[in-house]
Structures are given as C-alpha cells and as structure tokens.
Amino acid sequence: MILHFTLNGQATRVECDPDRRVVDLLRQDLGLTGVKEACGAGECGACAILLDGVPRLSCLLLAAQLAGHEVLTIEGLAGGEAPHPLQEAFARAGAVQCGFCTPGMVLASHALLARQPRPSRQEIAQAIAGNLCRCTGYHKIIDAVRLAAGLSEDDS
Amino acid sequence: MRPVLLPASLEELWPLMRDHPGAAFMAGGSDLLVRLRQGLVDPPAIIGLEGIAELGLVHDEAPGWLFLGAGASHTALLEHSLVQRRLPLLAQALAVLGSPLVRNQGTLGGNLGTASPAGDTLSPLYALEAQVELRSATGSRRLAIADFILGPGRTALQAGEIIYGAWVPLAQDWSLAHFEKVGLRQALAIAVVSLAALISLDDGGVVREARLALGSVGPTVVRPRQAEQALLGRPLDAASLKAAARLVRQEVSPIDDPRASAHYRRQVAGNLLLRLARPAD
C-alpha cells in the first residue's frame, strides 16, 4: 500500500505492506533507529512513539493504522540540532546509562509534561510505569523529568 | 502480506466480514499481534475496529444502565467521569491494568474477547453482573458475562458477530467497592489472584448483599457463592471474613503456572477477603 502520514512534522509517503509492524517500518524502512525493540510484546515500552500525541507501542501497531495520523519519534522531538529540554535534562541528571529505554522514557515523559507541566515524583513514576529500565533504576530518570519541568526537590 | 481493513462504521464492517471469512478482529492488538508474531495465528486478513466511532462510546442514556463500548481503551474508560463516578470498582481495576502504554492500547472488548482468567476488567464486570452485547449484520443479543465467557480464550461469540460493548446495571449504591490484584511486581503485573468485591451494608453495618468475583483462580472468573452467602447478616469483621475466606479457598480451582502455585493462589484468594474488614461503628 501507499501510506500517507505525518512523521516528525513532515508529510510522509511510503510504500509498505499494510500489516508491517510500525516498529519495523520506522526502524528498517525509514531508518529511525531511535525507536527500539526489546520485548516485541508490549511489555517494555522501548518501542514507544507518540501517535497523535498519545504514547503508543509501535510493536503493537500495523502500518495501515498510521494512515492520516501524526507520529512523533525521538528523532523528531527536538525539531533541530539542539537537544530538547527533556533530552538535556536526561543528560544532566545522569538518567542515561545504556540508553536503550531512553527514547521511550523521554517520549512518555514528554506526553506527561504536555498534560501535567508540574508532575510530582509519584505522577512521573506512574507515567513511565510501562517503560522498563534495567540500568540506572528510576530515580535519576524521575530527577530528569523534574529538572526538565523546572522543579527542584523542594517543590511539591 | 495480508490486508488490514479499517472500516469507519458498522455499515462498512458487515460486508468486509462477509468478504473476508476467517479474518481476525483487532482492537488494541496487544493480544493478536503478539500471537501473530509468535506464529500462533495466521489469519488471511485483519479487520481493525478502531475507526468505528460508536464502539468507543460510554453513556448512561438507558435508564439504570451504563454502556461501555467495546472499542473504548482502558485509558478512555479510566478517565471517563461516568466510570469514575458510577463504577469505582472498575476504575480501581483499570488503574492497575498493565501500564499506561498498555492502557492506551488495549480495549474493554479486547479484554472480553481474549477471555483470559487474568483479564483485569473481568472480575469487576462479573461482580457488577454486566451483560455483553454482541452485534451482527442481522441483529443484536445480550448475554450475562458469565454466559459469554466459556473458558480461557473461549467465548460465546459466533461467526458474523462482534463484541459491541458491555452493559452494567446501576441498580444500587454499594457501601463498599474494592478491587485488589496480587501480582509478582507492582507495575505491569499479570494477576496471580484478583478480587473484585461489592458489599452493601445496612445502617448497622450488617451485610445486606455481598458479591465477590475472583480472577486467575479458575478457567473463568469465580463467584464464590457460598462465601457470599456466609457474609449475609453479619458485620464485616475478622470473624465473618475469616469464615468466608475458608469457603473461598474451597470454591476456587486454581492451577500451577510459572507465576504461582495453585496452593499459593488458593491461600491468597482467601486472604484477600480480609482486606474488606471495616471497623465496627
């Protein structure tokens, strides 16, 4: 099929099988390897993208489902050469170790901040509950989201 | 390559179903696409239901009933004011179903159709005595949820039918609505045991009605009728709940699996009842 959708702000046209998994379309056909695949079964969140602003699992979506919709991957978050404030905060807080969960973590955090600009640590923990990290643990990641939101640990 | 069909209405759906016999239905895909990748299923076509707006409806237009569309995502249900206000039991279960990502993906209809004994919305729907509406090109029928779900992965859905939604009776205000899931970790856990409980107390704190529904302790959700009966006319204290817990352990029929032993599930199924204890007035 000829698939038309918006990818990281750009009108995109790509020829693919309608039942191609979105994670494969993005990584293999379109070269967006910031989208990671770990479990392939919806359990780890490494493949998370934003579909019309909502965090979704690209291993559980088919290409045909993207037609006419907007997809944001980690590659499109900053919209330029300079990193997005969330990416900056992840680096400064030491929230990245192996980095495999980071794209999904950042996108889930981005969706959280869009609807809750001043999240508590608890709200952040809940928002990233579907993104598994096996390196740093979650404290530094939560620190990073708080930092990006301009909150210090003295704020509630 | 197989076709992926995304009808925008039921009128578009019925001819697609006729023209693609054996097609798999997909809502959130969190079950189907995993099974597809594992090679467990190989349907000739996939019919996605996400574009059919009426399947996503939640409303209370029929007096005494709340309708939950099969295509509503768990997130949509969890955030819906009618669910929060009128179905706190279901809202408690939705809040711990999977993760935010899974809740954005999965739907009520998917939970019903998958018919896993561990489906987190199912034990609340059994306790609420919900009905499942099935639609086909020629009509509609409603079944009690206990008649719709026949076993693990088995339902009364027939060829030509789709799951349209669930009807939940709003007949009474419950004194207590409690859902608890025991899993192997706090987030993203598949239930080892779940309990959905609705209790109606009189002014003296004595149980007038008790409905208990337990997940992951049998081929389908279990309503332990003897335990429910045993609570009637008694306060929710340690003595009455311990007696009911003993009956629960007799009424469930759990299995050993990689997550837990049958013995553990049986013990915990009873223990969960003790959470219902309320201090005497």
Side-chain angles (χ1 to χ4, degrees):
Chain A
M1 71 180 291
I2 306 291
L3 176 68
H4 293 271
F5 68 111
T6 304
L7 176 58
N8 294 331
Q10 303 288 314
T12 300
R13 175 188 182 280
V14 60
E15 186 167 359
C16 66
D17 288 342
D19 64 340
R20 188 148 176 77
R21 292 187 314 159
V22 168
V23 64
D24 299 327
L25 174 77
L26 293 172
R27 283 180 58 83
Q28 295 173 20
D29 303 356
L30 297 167
L32 298 175
T33 53
V35 184
K36 303 300 182 196
E37 179 173 12
C39 74
E43 293 177 13
C44 74
C47 69
I49 58 171
L50 299 190
L51 180 59
D52 299 330
V54 177
R56 298 286 299 266
L57 296 157
S58 65
C59 75
L60 297 181
L61 288 167
L62 300 178
Q65 293 177 271
L66 299 184
H69 293 278
E70 282 188 29
V71 170
L72 184 74
T73 71
I74 193 68
E75 287 87 349
L77 183 65
E81 286 303 306
H84 184 276
L86 258 172
Q87 293 169 312
E88 190 83 53
F90 267 65
R92 275 181 53 200
V96 179
Q97 192 168 328
C98 89
F100 207 81
C101 73
T102 309
M105 286 286 185
V106 171
L107 289 172
S109 304
H110 183 59
L112 169 68
L113 293 179
R115 61 184 164 79
Q116 168 54 284
R118 294 177 59 84
S120 67
R121 295 187 74 86
Q122 177 70 20
E123 286 170 320
I124 297 167
Q126 285 170 354
I128 61 171
N131 299 83
L132 302 190
C133 168
R134 302 289 83 158
C135 300
T136 69
Y138 298 92
H139 289 286
K140 287 171 184 287
I141 293 168
I142 293 170
D143 291 345
V145 180
R146 297 272 294 177
L147 185 65
L151 299 168
S152 77
E153 285 324 294
D154 302 329
D155 299 326
S156 61
Chain B
M1 184 202 94
R2 79 193 90 226
V4 178
L5 308 157
L6 297 165
S9 66
L10 292 178
E11 292 67 38
E12 285 183 27
L13 169 67
W14 308 129
L16 290 175
M17 287 169 65
R18 191 190 57 222
D19 296 344
H20 297 273
F25 294 109
M26 183 171 90
S30 58
D31 191 59
L32 177 69
L33 296 187
V34 174
R35 291 162 53 78
L36 199 67
R37 183 161 174 266
Q38 291 172 337
L40 298 174
V41 291
D42 186 21
I46 292 173
I47 300 179
L49 301 172
E50 65 194 41
I52 303 175
E54 69 179 282
L55 292 180
L57 294 178
V58 174
H59 66 75
D60 59 355
E61 286 160 19
W65 296 88
L66 189 54
F67 174 77
L68 309 172
S73 72
H74 302 306
T75 299
L77 292 174
L78 181 58
E79 292 178 350
H80 201 288
S81 61
L82 277 173
V83 174
Q84 291 176 356
R85 258 197 347 264
R86 306 301 308 270
L87 302 179
L89 181 70
L90 181 63
Q92 289 172 49
L94 289 164
V96 295
L97 186 160
S99 68
L101 285 160
V102 171
R103 293 196 289 273
N104 289 346
Q105 203 91 19
T107 63
L108 185 75
N111 231 217
L112 287 165
T114 296
S116 160
D120 284 331
T121 64
L122 300 183
S123 48
L125 292 176
Y126 271 73
L128 290 159
E129 299 188 345
Q131 299 180 0
V132 179
E133 180 176 353
L134 308 176
R135 286 270 180 108
S136 68
T138 53
S140 156
R141 60 183 179 128
R142 270 161 78 159
L143 298 175
I145 186 167
D147 295 327
F148 171 72
I149 294 178
L150 304 176
R154 290 195 304 119
T155 70
L157 191 72
Q158 292 180 355
E161 285 182 321
I162 61 158
I163 302 169
Y164 187 71
W167 292 90
V168 183
L170 297 172
Q172 41 184 318
D173 288 323
W174 299 94
S175 315
L176 179 63
H178 174 85
F179 177 86
E180 183 165 355
K181 169 166 83 172
V182 175
L184 298 186
R185 60 198 293 274
Q186 281 194 352
L188 254 175
I190 294 173
V192 163
V193 185
S194 69
L195 168 68
L198 292 171
I199 308 284
S200 174
L201 301 171
D202 69 16
D203 293 340
V206 169
V207 175
R208 253 191 322 228
E209 184 172 358
R211 293 191 195 162
L212 307 171
L214 292 134
S216 296
V217 287
T220 63
V221 170
V222 175
R223 282 281 301 271
R225 303 286 181 170
Q226 293 175 43
E228 291 178 354
Q229 281 291 326
L231 289 172
L232 298 184
R234 304 186 64 178
L236 279 183
D237 58 19
S240 67
L241 290 166
K242 278 181 183 165
R246 277 192 293 277
L247 293 169
V248 164
R249 293 189 193 104
Q250 291 168 17
E251 291 182 83
V252 297
S253 54
I255 57 167
D256 294 313
D257 80 2
R259 280 185 285 277
S261 67
H263 174 74
Y264 177 80
R265 288 171 202 266
R266 194 180 295 282
Q267 285 302 118
V268 172
N271 293 354
L272 281 176
L273 250 64
L274 305 180
R275 296 264 208 249
L276 303 176
R278 287 296 172 271
D281 287 333

